Amino acid sequence: MFLRLSHVINKGYLSDLEKIRKIYKEDQVSEFDKHQLYNLGLLDNIGIDGKVFFYSEKKTPPPKKIHFKINEYGVLINDLLQKS
């Protein structure tokens, strides 16, 4: 666990890691930041918003949104940041 968390911390920036605290407190975080945290291994992908769209030349399809949740590594990083 220590080696895995060390790798995550080494791979990420402190400002990125601090965003896990915002997500933990359910504050607004951009989709880009969520993807960064996912790439660091602190979030899990829990699915894509599957909206129904009927094709029409006048309408553009709605954007699909990926949903994430904090995984065990994100919880541990959050706990470590709160202690410091």
Side-chain angles (χ1 to χ4, degrees):
M1 185 63 69
F2 172 78
L3 291 175
R4 191 174 300 271
L5 290 178
S6 297
H7 180 72
V8 168
I9 291 169
N10 189 42
K11 217 167 65 168
Y13 294 102
L14 182 59
S15 60
D16 289 337
L17 296 176
E18 289 176 343
K19 288 175 186 153
I20 198 77
R21 291 168 58 179
K22 285 186 174 184
I23 292 175
Y24 203 80
K25 292 190 277 184
E26 298 182 10
D27 288 344
Q28 293 295 322
V29 177
S30 73
E31 290 300 309
F32 178 79
D33 291 334
K34 289 178 185 177
H35 285 276
Q36 290 293 100
L37 294 171
Y38 172 75
N39 288 332
L40 287 173
L42 300 176
L43 299 179
D44 287 336
N45 179 338
I46 59 171
I48 297 174
D49 208 358
K51 296 180 181 169
V52 176
F53 175 72
F54 296 102
Y55 177 76
S56 169
E57 291 180 15
K58 296 177 184 177
K59 294 183 179 180
T60 57
K64 295 195 183 274
K65 183 177 178 182
I66 300 173
H67 296 279
F68 298 100
K69 73 171 189 158
I70 300 174
N71 62 23
E72 63 180 312
Y73 305 115
V75 171
L76 288 170
I77 291 289
N78 180 62
D79 292 346
L80 291 171
L81 288 172
Q82 284 184 347
K83 290 179 183 178
S84 63

